[in-house]
Every structure is written in C-alpha cells, then in structure tokens.
Amino acid sequence: MNLLFYLSAVVALITTLLVITRTNAVHALLYLIVSLLAVALIFFSLGAPFVAALEVIIYAGAIMVLFIFVIMMLNLGGRAAKQECLWLRPGIWKGPALLCGIMAAELIYFFLSGHARISAGGVVQPKEIGIALFGPYALGVELASMLLLSGLVGAYHLGRPEKQ
C-alpha cells in the first residue's frame, strides 16, 4: 500500500508541474485530470474510498468538463498563448520558487524532527463525511459553492462578445 501511495504522489507532483508549465489550456486540463486521479488514488490508499470516489466524480469529472466549456466559451486564441509564453520567463518564477523552497524546508524539518507519523486510521464512512460537511463546515461548503458560481459568472462576462 505504501508503494501505491508514493507512486501516486510522484505522478500527482509531476502532472501538477506539467499543468503549470503548459501554454495550451486544454493540455493543461488533461494533465490536471491525471493529477486529480492520482490524488484520488492517494485517498484510496489512505483508507478513504468514498473521498476517492468523490474526487473522481466531482473534480476529475464535473469540474473539468465545466473548465473545458469555459475555455471553449472564452475562445482566447493566439493572443492568450503569446501572453502565457511571456509569463513563463525565468524571472517570473523567483517568488513562487522561494515559497516552494520554504514549504520544502518545512516538510523536511517535519519529517526529520520525528513528528511525522502515518495514521493507521480506518475507513471513513460517507455518513461521517456528510455530518462533517453539513454540520460544523456548512458555512465553508456554501462559501466555496458561491465562489465557484461567481467565477463562472465572471468567466461568462469576460468571454461574451462585445456588441458593435
């Protein structure tokens, strides 16, 4: 089971890096789908098959289809590809690279200090997830849904054709 976890983690890291570096939006979305499937395998290997299924159904399925529709609706063309190439200049990566280095140092410290323990938890039941999501975290779930809706409305207004 540890081998499945580590292989899935490596696949998730590599494909997420490819999502960030692709200039074609559809290719980036395909890599993001692979990354989300790898995260679902990680959840499954940790004993949460219901969360893994939700990851596949909601994120890798529904949300990615929504992203593809938004990309088709915006129809950005060659101008956007040129702008993305400008964003991939080496100097642009200094800030994110610094933040990633800080997080990597924290992770290394965490593992070397002996605080890292793998939980031997059992299977998480769907009822427990539902009680948590619609109990103490109901406000967070609703805020996340409103954020997604506002992003969709904003994308529509940005992508609609201008009246002559």
Side-chain angles (χ1 to χ4, degrees), residues 17 23-24 31 33 35-36 45 48 59 71 73-75 79 98-99 105 116 124 134 139 158:
L17 183 66
T23 57
N24 187 335
Y31 283 120
I33 290 172
S35 175
L36 292 171
S45 69
Y59 291 112
I71 287 171
M73 186 173 56
L74 291 176
N75 194 14
R79 186 185 71 206
L98 176 68
L99 294 174
V124 179
F134 296 110
L139 181 63
L158 286 174

Side-chain angles (χ1 to χ4, degrees), residues 125-138:
Q125 298 298 321
K127 183 177 180 180
E128 297 171 16
I129 294 172
I131 289 171
L133 285 180
F134 296 110
Y137 299 110

Side-chain angles (χ1 to χ4, degrees), residues 113-151:
S113 66
H115 295 302
R117 292 186 194 94
I118 295 177
S119 169
V123 175
V124 179
Q125 298 298 321
K127 183 177 180 180
E128 297 171 16
I129 294 172
I131 289 171
L133 285 180
F134 296 110
Y137 299 110
L139 181 63
V141 170
E142 292 301 321
L143 288 174
S145 67
M146 293 302 290
L147 181 66
L148 289 172
L149 178 64
S150 65

Side-chain angles (χ1 to χ4, degrees), residues 22-151:
R22 299 300 100 182
T23 57
N24 187 335
V26 176
H27 293 169
L29 282 177
L30 291 174
Y31 283 120
L32 186 57
I33 290 172
V34 174
S35 175
L36 292 171
L37 292 175
V39 170
L41 273 175
I42 290 171
F43 281 131
F44 184 77
S45 69
L46 291 174
F50 182 71
V51 177
L54 287 178
E55 179 87 18
V56 170
I57 293 169
I58 294 173
Y59 291 112
I63 301 294
M64 289 302 112
V65 169
L66 180 71
F67 282 177
I68 289 173
F69 284 150
V70 169
I71 287 171
M72 290 168 43
M73 186 173 56
L74 291 176
N75 194 14
L76 298 174
R79 186 185 71 206
K82 289 179 185 175
Q83 179 63 36
E84 288 180 11
C85 287
L86 290 175
W87 287 340
L88 292 176
R89 291 188 321 250
I92 298 294
W93 293 91
K94 290 179 183 175
L98 176 68
L99 294 174
C100 288
I102 291 170
M103 288 190 300
E106 290 175 357
L107 188 64
I108 291 170
Y109 171 75
F110 179 72
F111 282 120
L112 292 179
S113 66
H115 295 302
R117 292 186 194 94
I118 295 177
S119 169
V123 175
V124 179
Q125 298 298 321
K127 183 177 180 180
E128 297 171 16
I129 294 172
I131 289 171
L133 285 180
F134 296 110
Y137 299 110
L139 181 63
V141 170
E142 292 301 321
L143 288 174
S145 67
M146 293 302 290
L147 181 66
L148 289 172
L149 178 64
S150 65

